Amino acid sequence: MSARVRIKDIAEKVGVSTALVSYVMNGKEKEKRVGQDIVKKIREAAGELNYQPNRIAQSLRTGSTKTIGLIVADIAIPFFGQLARVIEDEASKNGFTVIIGSSDEDAIKQGSLIDTFSYRQVDGLIIVPSDGTADQIAALVKQGMPLVLMDRYFPELETCHVCLDNYKASYEAVNHLISQGYQQITMIAYRSGMIHMHERIRGYREAMAAANFANYIKVLEVPYSFSRTETENSIEKCINGNKEIDALLFATNSLTTAGLNYINKMGIKVPDEIGIVGYDGNEAFDFFYAPITIVEQPLNEIGTKSVNTLISLMNDPDKIVRFDLSHSLNIRKSSR
Amino acid sequence: MSARVRIKDIAEKVGVSTALVSYVMNGKEKEKRVGQDIVKKIREAAGELNYQPNRIAQSLRTGSTKTIGLIVADIAIPFFGQLARVIEDEASKNGFTVIIGSSDEDAIKQGSLIDTFSYRQVDGLIIVPSDGTADQIAALVKQGMPLVLMDRYFPELETCHVCLDNYKASYEAVNHLISQGYQQITMIAYRSGMIHMHERIRGYREAMAAANFANYIKVLEVPYSFSRTETENSIEKCINGNKEIDALLFATNSLTTAGLNYINKMGIKVPDEIGIVGYDGNEAFDFFYAPITIVEQPLNEIGTKSVNTLISLMNDPDKIVRFDLSHSLNIRKSSR
DNA sequence: TTGAAAGCGTTACCAA
DNA sequence: TTGGTAACGCTTTCAA
């Protein structure tokens, strides 16, 4: 590697002190009243030598790394992949670099990611917290680490968050099904202590109750699993031969996928025999033989708001803001 | 933020110099022959004060950030998302942190990511290079930046790479179709100067020629686009009413998806009227009414090999190795 | 076996 | 306007 050019090299070449070079490189020549000709000389020398500041040294000196740590539940899930991309873009627009970690919904792994990131002196953290990690988050808050929770949060903690208004989303999803004539709507969710799941379920329950279908309320909580087969089996056990279900509300994309596979297999007819609404669409649904209604999250908004909230938090640590954004109910048309 | 504990705080507490603390924290107490009791005291003090070393200071001093920069073509594509996850895991096992960037197949964006990463003094780079960026890569090589290209490479450059053996994959995909009785096999690829596309096409051509179907060789090169509708239109133009096609080989996952949508729409029957093989599967295919044969890449191997190659390159900068890994031909069963 | 101190590349205070 | 220099927190050499 060709020896890196340092600020000192420029200073020597021009015949000034490192201080002046630093001022010029940081655009403070006006503020510090550096002479016009010297500014020009320094600029030229920097260009000739192809000077690149050393961020590490800057970070050590300034105490800021201009780095954001992002911990998502699973980077291999397109929803989080897309979110990561939006966040990276927005951060970069603001001069920040993002380091990404995938917790795989595992508290231990999340903890070690937090350690790694804090060891690396990130300026702030955006986290999609896993189940059972309220203590980790509380510890970060106590430390004073700038922090934005995304997609989920802990209501008992004083943190910023950017999430979907899950209650409203489920409520309206149920009403949509009802408006199509369905009544015996069952919800299929993951078993989880996290608020987003609870809110999705609560929205369902209250919408059902409001429509006087309280006696049809039925929630199947599937244990979280990376294996789709397992998830499908759980769903199968619930639906199989159950004549008292005429519609399904799936709480996540992976549950929808698993459920549709099962429905496909059994030859159950959508939408005649069963109505479907699922959270988060993907291109897979276009191959399904029938159109599927989905609860779509405002990805761009979630990502950009998370970044911007975090950045303002760095400047104003006590300003807690919370966003519960609105979904849209879209139809994923079948290409058949 | 509670004032960070420094090595100096421990030294003062124990009543020794910072050197000793540094030795102990880095596990060099044997090598440096530090007294047993002092080691113990330092350990205790570090524990009590909850000492966390400052990576930035370490990096500045040692010249190594223990960071890998990863640039993928598009982090929102599941293939790259999964790869990112594997890479992050493997890097972390080796004490490295990964910073990820998405070039969106854009040379300019890739260039600015390289700048950002090098500004951040990454110890090495894993890149999925975009079309037309050979000069960027050549510049990195010239600088002596440890570098591994992934998924694609530039044959004219002396770089390490970890890729699929795309030639072989296409060759065998064609033979698979032929063994099923298809003859008039058309390939649908992206228009690209990149080697992986060329190799996929070359494998197709040679397999066709070897089977004496040279006169059926037909390659449709679709311009790259983020819009699936555009891609579908291009495919439509090629297939529409063309009676001289009895099978299609799609060069990427997105092309397969677009193509299957078109086939769905037209009611063309798979596999009776047309045979299909596509690169990289995804769960969407399970919803397609017929089973689809896919060329599957060894994700884990690609990811881990890339990381390990990069790490050995850091220690031994002149050791250029190239991997062209084998695919497997799998059937994605329809759930119908 | 231990400690003092130089230095990594910057920034920013203070003095000139 | 400009320059000298201490400091950021750590590692590592050299001397004791």
Side-chain angles (χ1 to χ4, degrees), chain B residues 7 22-23 51 61:
Chain B
I7 228 173
S22 174
Y23 294 150
Y51 171 70
R61 179 61 230 227

Side-chain angles (χ1 to χ4, degrees), chain A residues 1 3 48 74 128 133 150 159 182 189 193 197 205 231 305 317:
Chain A
M1 179 131 31
E48 270 175 48
D74 185 354
V128 177
T133 60
M150 195 170 65
T159 58
Y182 299 103
M197 237 2 115
R205 285 186 189 280
T231 308
K305 272 219 158 56

Side-chain angles (χ1 to χ4, degrees), chain B residues 94-113:
Chain B
N94 290 279
F96 284 82
T97 296
V98 179
I99 61 187
I100 305 180
S102 186
S103 71
D104 306 345
E105 298 281 10
D106 179 62
I108 310 277
K109 198 155 177 220
Q110 179 181 310
S112 81
L113 282 169

Side-chain angles (χ1 to χ4, degrees), chain B residues 112-293:
Chain B
S112 81
L113 282 169
I114 290 176
D115 288 347
T116 306
F117 288 178
S118 108
Y119 175 43
R120 303 235 162 209
Q121 335 288 134
V122 294
D123 289 343
L125 244 21
I126 298 176
I127 302 183
V128 177
S130 298
D131 208 352
T133 60
D135 47 346
Q136 290 177 18
I137 302 300
L140 287 171
V141 171
K142 205 172 149 202
Q143 271 173 45
M145 171 69 86
L147 175 68
V148 173
L149 299 185
M150 195 171 67
D151 189 51
R152 327 159 181 178
Y153 64 96
F154 299 99
E156 69 272 26
L157 298 180
E158 275 282 307
T159 58
C160 293
H161 73 244
V162 180
C163 298
L164 189 71
D165 185 337
N166 287 294
Y167 171 80
K168 192 171 80 177
S170 277
Y171 200 102
E172 293 184 5
V174 169
N175 280 341
H176 171 80
L177 283 167
I178 290 173
S179 76
Q180 308 277 303
Y182 299 104
Q183 303 189 343
Q184 297 167 310
I185 305 166
T186 287
M187 173 147 202
I188 299 190
Y190 279 122
R191 189 190 321 286
S192 162
M194 296 302 297
I195 183 101
H196 67 307
M197 237 2 115
H198 287 180
E199 286 292 282
R200 287 177 191 188
I201 294 172
R202 188 170 69 89
Y204 157 79
R205 286 186 188 280
E206 298 199 6
M208 290 294 278
N212 284 320
F213 292 154
N215 46 335
Y216 293 140
I217 290 177
K218 190 174 164 200
V219 179
L220 171 69
E221 291 189 76
V222 177
Y224 187 80
S225 159
F226 277 107
S227 141
R228 205 180 67 203
T229 318
E230 263 179 50
T231 308
E232 268 178 54
N233 289 342
S234 306
I235 293 175
E236 183 168 355
K237 260 183 230 147
C238 157
I239 308 180
N240 198 10
N242 196 330
K243 290 286 163 207
E244 288 165 4
I245 297 176
D246 68 6
L248 292 170
L249 171 57
F250 292 102
T252 75
N253 188 62
S254 52
L255 287 169
T256 317
T257 305
L260 289 182
N261 267 310
Y262 172 73
I263 285 166
N264 243 344
K265 215 182 301 176
M266 300 306 286
I268 302 170
K269 299 220 169 48
V270 178
D272 296 337
E273 293 175 10
I274 203 158
I276 303 279
V277 175
Y279 270 78
D280 308 326
N282 72 39
E283 57 184 16
F285 299 168
D286 301 345
F287 289 150
F288 194 74
Y289 66 87
I292 302 290
T293 300

